[in-house]
Amino acid sequence: MSDRFQQELSRRRFLTYSGGALAAVALPGMIGCQGEAANPPSAAASAKVFGETRVMPIGTQLYCVRKLLDENVPATIEALAGMGYEAVEFADYHGLDAAQWRKLLDDNGLQACGTHIYIETLEGDELQKTVDFNNTLGNRNLIVRSMKKESYETKDALLRTCERYNKIAESLRPHGMRTGFHNHAEIFDRFDGEYMWNIFADNTEPDVILQLDTGNASHVEGVDVIELLKRNAGRTVTTHVKPFSNAHPDAFLGADELDWSTIIPLYQTVAGTEFYIIEYEQEAFPPLEALKANLDILRGMLGRA
């Protein structure tokens, strides 16, 4: 297969998964596109504008670019800022300390909108270390990335886990910080007919963040992201804005199966959202290209293009 053919195939797939709702920009790696086909409609022209009552920062989860960060942290952070991202959420620190990260963020006009950590770092002797690190970082949202199976294998276990989060939340309040939980698919199993996610919501303090990942939630048949946002009002302080499509797993925002025309106004109102965090984990395209494309699309949806 020739390089030219591969480039053309990649271009067509890119436009398919973006639904055409991209800003007319030249993205790295999209070389070989000539003529009209090289200029897809802009987000402002082709994406629906769903309205924005509050202008909230748009960030990304750094897990999306973890391999690039392992190679060159400063260049990767500069690239994200150059695209227009306003915040980042951490998944790892790639060998840098908090002061080094803070300088990188400040130099690039970025803020920390959260970090994904393990619950053990929020308890006992580890708590103060975590607080000190995140104070330096300028981050107040300490999101537990996953639960061990024993934390939710029975309803009683889940309720004990809820109390654990409540104690952590109490410990963090004097520091102006919050804990929270990021959903994967398993949290949408049920006890007594109710999703574990909702049981967790009902039995944790109001300042425990429910970081709803739209893509992860939608992998479970029957889960309705819209209803979750409404039911747990005020709790989705940060959210992973992630596309989901059974038919086209590599789809970008707006070309997927989620009803963003309803989801975005809910973020703006009842959900209590403070940060949009774009996450795109598919490997069909280089991560910076995919993050740029999805950012342009979301900005178009919000009327910021």
Side-chain angles (χ1 to χ4, degrees):
M1 184 181 295
S2 70
D3 290 343
R4 177 73 178 187
F5 184 83
Q6 288 177 318
Q7 291 164 0
E8 177 63 15
L9 179 62
S10 177
R11 183 190 69 82
R12 290 180 181 179
R13 292 175 66 237
F14 191 82
L15 295 181
T16 296
Y17 295 131
S18 71
L22 290 172
V25 294
L27 292 173
M30 292 288 107
I31 58 172
C33 302
Q34 303 294 329
E36 291 183 50
N39 295 296
S42 71
S46 63
K48 290 182 180 179
V49 176
F50 305 140
E52 186 172 36
T53 58
R54 294 183 294 119
V55 178
M56 299 183 296
I58 302 175
T60 188
Q61 164 54 249
L62 291 179
Y63 183 81
C64 302
V65 290
R66 60 196 181 280
K67 295 178 182 177
L68 297 177
L69 288 168
D70 283 339
E71 296 172 3
N72 193 324
V73 171
T76 304
I77 296 303
E78 183 179 357
L80 292 171
M83 292 175 188
Y85 278 100
E86 300 157 286
V88 294
E89 182 181 54
F90 291 89
D92 192 357
Y93 302 112
H94 302 275
L96 275 64
D97 63 28
Q100 290 171 313
W101 269 114
R102 180 61 181 268
K103 185 177 188 307
L104 265 177
L105 297 183
D106 289 347
D107 288 349
N108 287 281
L110 294 167
Q111 59 180 308
C113 58
T115 188
H116 274 198
I117 54 177
Y118 296 102
I119 195 169
E120 291 81 7
T121 66
L122 298 171
E123 298 174 310
D125 294 339
E126 294 300 309
L127 175 63
Q128 190 60 51
K129 298 176 187 177
T130 300
V131 167
D132 291 344
F133 189 98
N134 283 277
N135 263 331
T136 301
L137 203 59
N139 172 52
R140 64 184 299 235
N141 299 320
L142 310 177
I143 309 298
V144 178
R145 63 180 73 198
S146 63
M147 288 190 192
K148 295 178 180 178
K149 187 174 181 179
E150 57 265 29
S151 299
Y152 61 85
E153 59 186 352
T154 67
K155 186 174 181 178
D156 284 344
L158 180 59
L159 292 175
R160 289 193 296 271
T161 296
C162 292
E163 186 55 35
R164 192 177 178 187
Y165 276 83
N166 289 336
K167 290 178 180 177
I168 291 169
E170 183 178 3
S171 298
L172 289 174
R173 285 186 200 116
H175 304 286
M177 295 181 181
R178 302 173 287 195
T179 190
F181 178 66
H182 171 82
N183 69 278
H184 292 272
E186 66 272 7
I187 200 67
F188 293 102
D189 289 343
R190 297 176 187 260
F191 290 126
D192 302 326
E194 184 59 271
Y195 290 126
M196 293 192 298
W197 178 257
N198 290 336
I199 295 171
F200 181 84
D202 293 345
N203 291 277
T204 49
E205 295 293 327
D207 59 345
V208 174
I209 296 169
L210 304 179
Q211 188 183 73
L212 184 64
D213 183 309
T214 56
N216 287 354
S218 300
H219 276 285
V220 182
E221 186 176 356
V223 171
D224 187 333
V225 168
I226 291 167
E227 290 307 311
L228 293 174
L229 291 170
K230 291 177 180 177
R231 183 193 186 280
N232 300 311
R235 300 291 296 277
T236 311
V237 174
T238 66
T239 179
H240 278 206
V241 181
K242 184 189 293 184
F244 171 80
S245 174
N246 274 317
H248 301 288
D250 297 329
F252 293 165
L253 295 171
D256 63 337
E257 298 168 12
L258 298 183
D259 181 6
W260 295 105
S261 65
T262 301
I263 293 170
I264 287 175
L266 289 175
Y267 285 152
Q268 288 283 318
T269 53
V270 301
T273 307
E274 297 176 7
F275 288 96
Y276 299 114
I277 303 173
I278 292 175
E279 186 173 31
Y280 186 85
E281 296 179 318
Q282 304 299 100
E283 297 185 353
F285 309 102
L288 289 176
E289 291 181 21
L291 288 178
K292 171 61 174 168
N294 282 284
L295 174 61
D296 287 345
I297 293 166
L298 180 58
R299 289 179 63 86
M301 289 177 177
L302 297 172
R304 298 192 206 174

